[in-house]
Amino acid sequence: MPLYRPPSEGNNLIIQATLGCSANYCTFCSMYKTKTYRARPLDQVLADIDQAAHEWPTASRIFLADGDALTLSMDNLRAILNKLHETFPGLTRVSAYATPKNLIDKTVDELRELKTMKLSLVYMGIESGSTQVLKRVIKGASHKTHGMALDNANAAGLKVSATVILGLAGRAGWEDHIASTAQLINNHPPTYLSTLQLTLDEGAIDEFMAEQEAGFEFQDDDAILLEQEQLLKLLNPPKPVIFRSNHASNCLPLAGNLPRDRDKLLDIITAAKEQIHLRRSPFIRGL
Ligand code: SF4
């Protein structure tokens, strides 16, 4: 522990294939700071799968934890996915978090092979399409490498659920943050796109601020709604993208398909800009 999983994996079986995150340097993220990354010994993972099957033989959707199980070698992933396949006759989907690096380090053929073994969905934190913003939060990725990672996943037929963090560039940098992010999504569309609001653990604030330019100011909810509005205005993906802002951090939950529902979502934002009672209060946002 701690163990994290995406909200949409809440009803699914979780198998811990790795511990921690192989990157673990992003300044805004405290999820795995108490863990040193390591791959769990394969025999232990396979034993966990046997035990899980005993408890829940009909499990059909399985999430491989922790932070980026896709970093495992192909041999390890093959062994784990084969075991899941043999053990759960009703298996329909395996998913995992993935860093952009994970999706670039593996070839499209390797990703395609994983897909044939039912690893069909990866969750990737884009955070921003702006290389400058990504540098300041030590993401270890750029606009270009994000695009390469999304292209590899798309070419292999993997679904990508991507997240973007509103507020990440602060008051001075938000326009470049949003414009670059929209450009990235328009050129390399994922299957799902979610926005989160920047929320730092108290212990992470100093590390985050140490990399920012002097005078960095955090965005308030009014400014976040402006970012959300501008992002939706600029998004025009060539294929439908399922959009959500239902993460606990968001002041305004939204859901729709882009570009089809853009005007409807913009109307909801306009109303929430004018009427504060339409927004979620901070005390129910898990902040
Ligand atoms: S790659 Fe993801 S899980 Fe790892 S430190 Fe960065 S944001 Fe956190």
Side-chain angles (χ1 to χ4, degrees):
M1 300 299 270
L3 174 69
Y4 293 93
R5 48 100 184 135
S8 52
E9 299 288 341
N11 293 324
N12 302 338
L13 176 62
I14 300 177
I15 297 289
Q16 243 169 328
T18 59
L19 297 177
C21 164
S22 70
N24 215 17
Y25 31 57
C26 308
T27 60
F28 56 86
C29 172
S30 306
M31 286 163 66
Y32 301 108
K33 293 292 191 238
T34 57
K35 288 182 171 179
T36 302
Y37 169 78
R38 61 189 188 279
R40 290 188 65 218
L42 186 57
D43 59 334
Q44 289 181 16
V45 179
L46 301 184
D48 277 5
I49 293 172
D50 280 330
Q51 190 187 344
H54 188 67
E55 312 265 337
W56 190 359
T58 57
S60 59
R61 291 182 165 198
I62 297 175
F63 177 71
L64 296 180
D66 268 346
D68 60 335
L70 206 73
T71 195
L72 286 173
S73 68
M74 281 300 291
D75 283 349
N76 266 24
L77 286 169
R78 279 188 198 106
I80 292 168
L81 293 169
N82 274 330
K83 176 76 176 172
L84 292 174
H85 202 259
E86 287 163 17
T87 312
F88 294 96
L91 185 68
T92 57
R93 178 183 98 182
V94 182
S95 55
Y97 285 130
T99 64
K101 184 173 184 303
N102 299 159
L103 288 165
I104 292 170
D105 284 350
K106 293 198 165 46
T107 66
V108 172
D109 281 346
E110 286 174 333
L111 295 175
R112 207 173 273 136
E113 182 186 340
L114 297 176
K115 164 91 189 309
T116 65
M117 301 172 86
K118 298 233 163 72
L119 198 162
S120 53
L121 171 65
V122 292
Y123 298 90
M124 173 178 151
I126 285 177
E127 335 303 2
S128 177
S130 161
T131 298
Q132 200 181 17
V133 175
L134 292 167
K135 248 187 216 164
R136 288 218 185 97
V137 298
I138 327 267
K139 180 67 190 174
S142 64
H143 184 101
K144 185 175 172 193
T145 57
H146 274 345
M148 289 163 62
L150 289 165
D151 285 350
N152 279 1
N154 284 337
L158 293 181
K159 289 183 178 172
V160 178
S161 178
T163 48
V164 165
I165 304 180
L166 302 177
L168 194 61
R171 195 159 290 262
W174 77 268
E175 282 167 298
D176 166 54
H177 169 45
I178 295 302
S180 304
T181 302
Q183 188 190 11
L184 179 76
I185 300 296
N186 288 340
N187 290 334
H188 314 272
T191 310
Y192 306 95
L193 176 68
S194 307
T195 52
L196 286 65
Q197 261 181 249
L198 178 65
T199 310
L200 297 175
D201 280 356
E202 215 174 311
I205 293 174
D206 287 350
E207 194 186 341
F208 179 85
M209 291 303 287
E211 301 298 329
Q212 300 297 334
E213 285 190 333
F216 179 93
E217 286 180 87
F218 289 98
Q219 295 279 63
D220 59 18
D221 284 350
D222 288 326
I224 291 289
L225 287 177
L226 210 57
E227 289 195 22
Q228 184 74 273
E229 181 180 56
Q230 184 67 359
L231 180 65
L232 290 175
K233 280 183 181 168
L234 294 176
L235 282 175
N236 195 19
K239 65 173 193 182
V241 170
I242 298 168
F243 174 77
R244 299 278 181 275
S245 70
N246 55 359
H247 183 262
S249 60
N250 291 99
C251 70
L252 184 66
L254 296 169
N257 278 32
L258 293 172
R260 189 191 67 196
D261 298 327
R262 188 209 333 264
D263 289 347
K264 188 182 84 183
L265 298 174
L266 288 173
D267 286 347
I268 296 171
I269 295 173
T270 301
K273 279 165 70 181
E274 289 160 7
Q275 302 171 66
I276 288 181
H277 72 273
L278 296 176
R279 307 177 196 175
R280 282 176 174 161
S281 324
F283 78 92
I284 58 162
R285 282 157 49 189
L287 304 177

